[in-house]
Amino acid sequence: MTFATPNLVPVYPEIFLLMALSAVLMLDLFVSEAKRFLTYACSQLALVVTAALLVVGATGHILTTFGGMFIDDPMARTLKLVAIVAVSFVMAYSRAYNQPRGLFRGEFYVLVMSALLGIMVMISANHFLVLYLGLELLSLSMCALIALQRDSASASEAAMKYFVLAALASGLLLYGLSMLYGATGTLEMPLVANAIVSGAADPAILVFGLVFVVAGLAFKLGVVPFHMWVPDVYEGAPTAVTLFVSTAPKVAAFAFFMRLLVSTLGSMVSDWQSMLVIVAMLSMLVGNVTAIAQTNIKRMLAYSSTISHMGFLLLGILSGSLGGYAAAMFYVVAYVLMSLGAFGLILILSREGFEADQLDDLKGLNKRSPWYAFMMLLMMISMAGIPVSVGFFAKLAVLSTVLDAGMTWLVVYAVMMSLIGAFYYLRVIKLMYMDEPADNSPLIAETDHRVLVGLNGLAILVFGIVPQPLIDLCMVSISQSMR
Amino acid sequence: MTANYFLSLSIWLPILAGVVVLVTGSPKNSGCTTRWIALVGAVLGFAVTVPLYLYFSNDTASMQFVEMAPWIPAFNINYHLGIDGISLWFVLLNSFMTLLVVIAGWVVIEKRLAQYMAAFLIMSGLINGVFAALDAILFYVFFEAMLIPMFLIIGVWGGPRRVYAAIKFFLYTLLGSLLMLAAFIYLYFEAGGSFEIIKFQILPLPLGVQVLIFLAFFMSFAVKVPMWPLHTWLPDAHVEAPTGGSVILAAITLKIGAYGFLRFNLPITPDASHALSGFIIALSLIAVVYIGLVALVQNDMKKLVAYSSIAHMGFVTLGFFMFNPMGVEGGLLQMISHGFISGAMFLCIGVLYDRMHSRQISDYGGVVNTMPTFAAFFMLFAMANAGLPGTSGFIGEFIVILSAIQVNFWYAALAATTLIFGAAYTLWMYKRVVFGAVANPHVAELKDINKRETLFLALLAILVLAMGLYPKPFTDTMHATVQQLIEQTSVPKY
């Protein structure tokens, strides 16, 4: 019996992250409450090193290892980098928020990092088992994160909801994958793709499996009709965790769609395209209309930013062209930037014993701090897709690929939905600029937090003026990775 | 003409000045520096547009002062600027009105002065961008970005129902512009992957497609003009906006809608424009006649002028859809003249409002006794608004009526009723506000206009009279471009 050592080079970042999070877990045992900052610093350091390994190791080629179970391509590198940056921002934004709430603990950082590891594994999965492994690592870490504030009834409820529904979705996905396995006789994605193209597989079973796969994916992305968990989890979880849930996992979900639908089931595009059209249309409708009725800003962002924006993201994927995938990737990066900024600002507004999670808490923000109000303004116009912001070009890119695919009516529908969306983003701007503040307590924010929010907001503005580098990055990543 | 950057300067100088005002305008300093920086920014912003007129060549219909640089190569979007006889005057008008607005807001604005000045300066740059953009996406970016400062101006410094008005303004405009965006993306693929407006204009399109694109553009620009029945945002926004906001709204942003018809609807979809001209003419005439009557019954001075703006803009669209050079030039003259006159009317009302804090006609009476100089200026602008010969208001209306009579007598007859209605609502308002005995103790305490107010009213008075007596410099720059536009629209594209 021979045992060949697999090529570990493409997996270095994941290996390092795993070791680092284990080390942080150990380290945290020996750190006293007063020196908890050390845990935080080590976690950030681990992220920086992981990111550096990713960048240094980038080859621009498609590599597979572990017998073809793990794939490393430019798209994976870019998406992982985006996820790492997002997680790093999450940690920095939530530091001041976590301290008075008993969340400034090693568990938070270890769980966030293990969720990140799950995301990275998902992004690089080339085999159904690996995909599922990454997915469960992410889901379970997220579930624990949501429940981390264990005295909070709403957090526990949110965690329970998430757990039950995630289990259901995993069940659906596994059932779909088992159908695909039954039809093709393999779990390796390229082999599944070949079997479908060759026509050896029974189309009836394939389509049957596809329905379940799409349902499972839709749940992970949080799109209608599998969106029920999103608002409850966003509202119930501590805002620091909401910030995480709303950003990095979406990157993984995008990769999930690319690997499963595009790379593996690409030849069945006409089947999944029509499913995604319905899901995307419903998401934009339900997300935008329901958001109008919300008074809790976290719920509002759950409907508007997550549900409706993910619907928009699907438009890029369903157009079924390389340009469309690149546009969707651009959209997900833009979305992560906006979502980070919006929740990051909500964290600033919160202080000890006070959660700024009502829309009314934003009243008169311009009087309390013109700078933060301007940053929030940028996030809101970007989410509404109004220039000059990166959100506009993300929408433009997606819409142009949909039109290129010949679905003019869908473009008109999408712009009408954006109009509905503009209403409640405007309402936030109105609250900040045109109303009197409800409380005049000064906003205290740590320097690093302030600088990061500024960077975040300016990134939205700068990429709104010069989007070319970001578009190029997505174009190159997609075109080098998709065969 | 060698390469120069006057257009870029006219866009970016005011924006830069606005940013400087924002950064330096901390609550600690008294606002004095803020005012002077804003004034310097506005003066410089206007100064760089003057060479546009001086070096403008009247002989060519092609774009001048062209600047071109790749912006987003992935979508073939360019930073492509240029002006022709249509857009030249609006860049100048906009920069000039911004200067007046800065002067008019000098001491009146007490709340968040720096943000107020910055919003106007930034908006001024963005509006210049709208008029100079030759790339559809660049146009769209300026067109939309302009909404945000305007939204804040109405919503932060406006009157009691400001929030309602601001949101209505924003959503109405966004509805139109999103449809326009969809049309742009469609044309992008038809033009073989280019957002150049000039390329859109020579694109052959079947009539059915042209009609859809026409309607998408129509939604966007008709909201901006505004044409009946999409006008309902305007009275709300005007009444609630601060004086400066009303001036820019009436003098400039309404012109963007009409400009859009000339730049997009007529050349890109000429056949649809011909096919739907009856529809547009009907809407324009309704605006002239019906809105004229609506203006007659207003109790609020600002609302009255707002409705009169809609009626006057009806003339502009009427002239454009006559498809003869006279109609288009008449419409353009009417736009420029209306920029001066409506700006002046709103500034006059602002002068009264600053003293009395009321816009109700019934609160006034006998103002001439306490403010004689002001009454004289107001008289001139009211006459100009009514279309008195010798003022700029007459020229545009007269030429449009002349061109309409060549097409159909009844168009001209209906349009000419404005000379009656316009005189009726403006002069009746003027009579009730200015003449008669002093109505109440507040009017008796009024002080006449100061030097600052005299300055901006006198500047506008000179322009209104000059344009009315000698419009040749204005029409000379337009001939070549308008001629080419008419030729373009008369040839079927399919």
Side-chain angles (χ1 to χ4, degrees):
Chain A
M1 186 174 153
T2 56
F3 183 78
T5 315
N7 177 15
L8 291 179
V9 179
V11 205
Y12 276 165
E14 281 82 359
I15 295 175
F16 175 79
L17 187 63
L18 179 60
M19 293 194 311
L21 83 88
S22 310
V24 169
L25 188 61
M26 299 286 278
L27 173 81
D28 191 56
L29 288 176
F30 303 100
V31 169
S32 68
E33 197 64 42
K35 290 183 182 155
R36 196 69 74 195
F37 186 78
L38 192 62
T39 312
Y40 165 78
C42 287
S43 309
Q44 285 284 24
L45 185 68
L47 291 183
V48 171
V49 175
T50 313
L53 284 173
L54 264 178
V55 175
V56 171
T59 54
H61 301 295
I62 303 171
L63 301 172
T64 56
T65 184
F66 289 108
M69 288 177 121
F70 186 97
I71 185 167
D72 173 37
D73 54 16
M75 183 183 84
R77 295 259 165 187
T78 314
L79 288 176
K80 284 175 193 170
L81 203 58
V82 172
I84 292 174
V85 172
V87 168
S88 171
F89 269 76
V90 168
M91 286 185 183
Y93 280 158
S94 54
R95 189 168 58 86
Y97 174 92
N98 283 351
Q99 267 161 348
R101 288 172 178 76
L103 289 171
F104 196 60
R105 293 196 306 236
E107 290 89 332
F108 181 83
Y109 298 101
V110 170
L111 284 170
V112 167
M113 280 195 286
S114 66
L116 177 63
L117 185 63
I119 290 170
M120 291 170 68
V121 171
M122 268 172 87
I123 290 174
S124 273
N126 203 29
H127 188 279
F128 288 158
L129 279 182
V130 177
L131 189 69
Y132 189 69
L133 186 74
L135 180 65
E136 284 305 292
L137 183 53
L138 169 64
S139 294
L140 290 175
S141 311
M142 245 160 69
C143 200
L145 269 174
I146 295 165
L148 199 56
Q149 219 170 16
R150 61 176 176 212
D151 321 330
S152 159
S154 65
S156 308
E157 186 193 328
M160 186 63 96
K161 274 180 186 154
Y162 182 76
F163 183 76
V164 172
L165 286 171
L168 182 69
S170 296
L172 289 175
L173 183 71
L174 280 181
Y175 190 59
L177 293 181
S178 70
M179 287 288 164
L180 296 181
Y181 176 70
T184 60
T186 174
L187 288 172
E188 273 186 57
M189 293 187 193
L191 298 183
V192 173
N194 289 342
I196 296 171
V197 173
S198 70
D202 182 351
I205 302 177
L206 282 178
V207 174
F208 195 67
L210 178 68
V211 173
F212 285 96
V213 169
V214 169
L217 288 175
F219 176 87
K220 293 299 166 193
L221 205 55
V223 286
V224 181
F226 306 98
H227 65 290
M228 311 301 187
W229 63 277
V230 179
D232 290 337
V233 167
Y234 276 36
E235 188 187 9
T239 311
V241 176
T242 310
L243 172 65
F244 174 75
V245 175
S246 73
T247 51
K250 305 300 172 202
V251 179
F254 168 74
F256 204 11
F257 267 87
M258 292 302 292
R259 298 274 181 231
L260 216 44
L261 288 190
V262 178
S263 299
T264 311
L265 303 171
S267 48
M268 300 173 72
V269 58
S270 55
D271 292 304
W272 52 259
Q273 192 178 43
S274 44
M275 290 185 221
L276 292 194
V277 168
I278 296 169
V279 170
M281 286 179 68
L282 282 176
S283 294
M284 286 188 279
L285 182 70
V286 172
N288 280 317
V289 172
T290 322
I292 294 176
Q294 305 306 320
T295 54
N296 182 301
I297 190 163
K298 282 157 80 179
R299 274 189 97 84
M300 187 200 98
L301 285 175
Y303 280 110
S304 71
S305 84
T306 302
I307 298 174
S308 77
H309 280 240
M310 290 303 118
F312 227 99
L313 173 77
L314 288 184
L315 290 183
I317 296 176
L318 67 81
S319 63
S321 61
L322 279 187
Y325 307 143
M329 187 167 162
F330 179 38
Y331 201 93
V332 87
V333 176
Y335 165 80
V336 166
L337 270 178
M338 302 185 282
S339 202
L340 273 179
F343 282 107
L345 274 158
I346 298 172
L347 284 174
I348 288 188
L349 299 181
S350 306
R351 54 173 187 276
E352 193 162 355
F354 176 74
E355 296 284 338
D357 59 359
Q358 297 300 312
L359 275 174
D360 284 352
D361 297 330
L362 286 170
K363 272 187 178 172
L365 183 60
N366 185 40
K367 290 227 174 80
R368 296 167 70 193
S369 163
W371 175 245
Y372 290 138
F374 179 63
M375 287 297 132
M376 196 64 167
L377 173 84
L378 283 177
M379 309 298 166
M380 290 298 126
I381 65 170
S382 185
M383 283 195 179
I386 295 165
V388 182
S389 65
V390 68
F392 166 68
F393 285 104
K395 281 217 161 103
L396 178 69
V398 167
L399 288 178
S400 66
T401 58
V402 175
L403 212 129
D404 199 19
M407 289 178 277
T408 314
W409 57 274
L410 195 54
V411 172
V412 174
Y413 177 83
V415 298
M416 285 298 105
M417 290 299 130
S418 310
L419 180 68
I420 300 177
F423 171 73
Y424 48 80
Y425 294 125
L426 272 188
R427 191 171 54 184
V428 172
I429 301 177
K430 173 223 148 197
L431 288 170
M432 294 189 304
Y433 280 88
M434 301 172 196
D435 287 354
E436 293 301 314
D439 76 311
N440 274 311
S441 54
L443 290 169
I444 308 153
E446 310 269 334
T447 319
D448 59 337
H449 200 159
R450 209 176 310 195
V451 170
L452 284 176
V453 167
L455 276 179
N456 200 165
L458 290 181
I460 284 173
L461 189 63
V462 168
F463 285 129
I465 296 170
V466 213
Q468 187 64 32
L470 210 51
I471 297 177
D472 275 344
L473 182 69
C474 297
M475 287 281 206
V476 169
S477 303
I478 293 287
S479 60
Q480 286 182 348
S481 307
M482 293 292 134
R483 284 144 292 192
Chain B
M1 195 79 219
T2 50
N4 60 60
Y5 300 98
F6 290 123
L7 280 177
S8 277
L9 282 175
S10 74
I11 295 169
W12 298 110
L13 251 181
I15 294 181
L16 186 71
V19 172
V20 172
V21 166
L22 261 191
V23 172
T24 56
S26 70
K28 279 166 219 131
N29 71 38
S30 60
C32 207
T33 28
T34 302
R35 289 188 185 100
W36 283 104
I37 295 172
L39 184 66
V40 169
V43 169
L44 283 178
F46 178 59
V48 293
T49 61
V50 174
L52 295 178
Y53 175 67
L54 296 180
Y55 297 126
F56 190 82
S57 160
N58 292 344
D59 310 324
T60 171
S62 54
M63 291 293 165
Q64 307 185 30
F65 304 95
V66 174
E67 291 172 37
M68 172 88 157
W71 178 24
I72 307 169
F75 294 104
N76 198 8
I77 299 171
N78 297 308
Y79 178 76
H80 190 182
L81 301 176
I83 51 169
D84 58 6
I86 296 174
S87 41
L88 165 71
W89 285 104
F90 300 108
V91 175
L92 283 159
L93 180 68
N94 172 44
S95 301
F96 178 69
M97 292 315 267
T98 304
L99 179 57
L100 291 194
V101 165
V102 168
I103 301 173
W106 198 257
V107 286
V108 182
I109 300 297
E110 290 150 0
K111 192 166 80 170
R112 281 175 275 173
L113 178 83
Q115 291 186 350
Y116 179 86
M117 293 294 184
F120 275 105
L121 286 168
I122 291 172
M123 199 163 64
S124 165
L126 295 173
I127 291 174
N128 280 341
V130 169
F131 287 121
L134 294 181
D135 183 286
I137 294 299
L138 187 64
F139 173 86
Y140 186 82
V141 165
F142 283 127
F143 189 81
E144 286 275 276
M146 194 188 80
L147 286 180
I148 296 155
M150 199 68 215
F151 175 71
L152 294 177
I153 287 168
I154 298 173
V156 177
W157 292 277
R161 291 200 330 147
R162 59 207 161 85
V163 173
Y164 169 78
I167 289 184
K168 196 167 173 183
F169 164 76
F170 197 106
L171 289 182
Y172 262 57
T173 325
L174 193 63
L175 165 73
S177 49
L178 282 170
L179 287 172
M180 179 171 73
L181 180 65
F184 281 160
I185 301 174
Y186 179 85
L187 287 167
Y188 167 74
F189 288 110
E190 289 296 308
S194 168
F195 278 113
E196 291 294 321
I197 294 172
I198 314 262
K199 284 200 182 135
F200 289 176
Q201 293 182 346
I202 53 172
L203 206 61
L205 293 167
L207 184 62
V209 173
Q210 277 196 36
V211 168
L212 288 177
I213 292 177
F214 180 92
L215 290 176
F217 286 148
F218 171 80
M219 280 304 287
S220 172
F221 299 132
V223 165
K224 267 263 166 28
V225 167
M227 294 179 77
W228 184 88
L230 301 170
H231 66 281
T232 57
W233 63 268
L234 183 83
D236 282 319
H238 262 313
V239 171
E240 301 304 336
T243 303
S246 289
V247 171
I248 293 294
L249 205 54
I252 313 297
T253 53
L254 303 193
K255 307 304 176 290
I256 292 173
Y259 168 79
F261 275 113
L262 280 192
R263 184 66 83 219
F264 294 93
N265 285 60
L266 290 184
I268 295 177
T269 60
D271 305 303
S273 304
H274 279 285
L276 295 171
S277 65
F279 169 63
I280 305 288
I281 291 169
L283 292 187
S284 306
L285 288 173
I286 291 175
V288 171
V289 178
Y290 167 72
I291 300 293
L293 288 169
V294 171
L296 205 52
V297 297
Q298 298 306 315
N299 303 320
D300 181 310
M301 286 191 280
K302 261 188 154 176
K303 242 184 176 151
L304 189 145
V305 180
Y307 279 112
S308 108
S309 293
I310 303 171
H312 283 122
M313 291 307 287
F315 254 94
V316 175
T317 44
L318 180 71
F320 289 171
F321 283 83
M322 291 293 120
F323 301 107
N324 54 33
M326 220 186 201
V328 174
E329 281 185 19
L332 281 169
L333 284 176
Q334 170 80 344
M335 280 160 77
I336 301 167
S337 141
H338 180 256
F340 294 142
I341 298 172
S342 64
M345 290 296 279
F346 281 118
L347 285 170
C348 284
I349 296 168
V351 165
L352 288 176
Y353 183 79
D354 293 340
R355 288 167 172 72
M356 298 272 285
H357 295 282
S358 165
R359 294 180 306 255
Q360 295 298 314
I361 296 174
S362 54
D363 288 346
Y364 292 89
V367 171
V368 69
N369 299 308
T370 45
M371 301 174 73
T373 323
F374 170 75
F377 278 121
F378 197 13
M379 181 73 176
L380 172 70
F381 297 132
M383 288 297 188
N385 199 38
L388 185 80
T391 63
S392 65
F394 174 71
I395 311 282
E397 290 184 5
F398 183 65
I399 297 179
V400 170
I401 293 173
L402 274 187
S403 85
I405 211 162
Q406 294 172 358
V407 178
N408 184 323
F409 170 75
W410 291 105
Y411 293 165
L414 280 171
T417 57
T418 191
L419 295 173
I420 301 164
F421 295 136
Y425 59 71
T426 318
L427 297 183
W428 190 35
M429 184 260 291
Y430 185 77
K431 180 214 145 216
R432 283 179 290 168
V433 170
V434 176
F435 291 146
V438 172
N440 56 47
H442 295 296
V443 175
E445 288 167 12
L446 284 179
K447 292 216 166 36
D448 209 346
I449 46 176
N450 58 30
K451 279 188 189 134
R452 182 178 59 81
E453 289 160 340
T454 316
L455 172 69
F456 59 70
L457 290 181
L459 278 173
L460 281 168
I462 293 168
L463 285 167
V464 165
L465 283 174
M467 190 179 169
L469 294 172
Y470 190 62
K472 196 163 174 299
F474 293 91
T475 52
D476 278 350
T477 56
M478 294 170 191
H479 287 319
T481 313
V482 170
Q483 197 59 44
Q484 187 200 307
L485 177 74
I486 295 298
E487 278 161 22
Q488 248 177 3
T489 48
S490 58
V491 185
K493 276 177 99 175
Y494 60 95

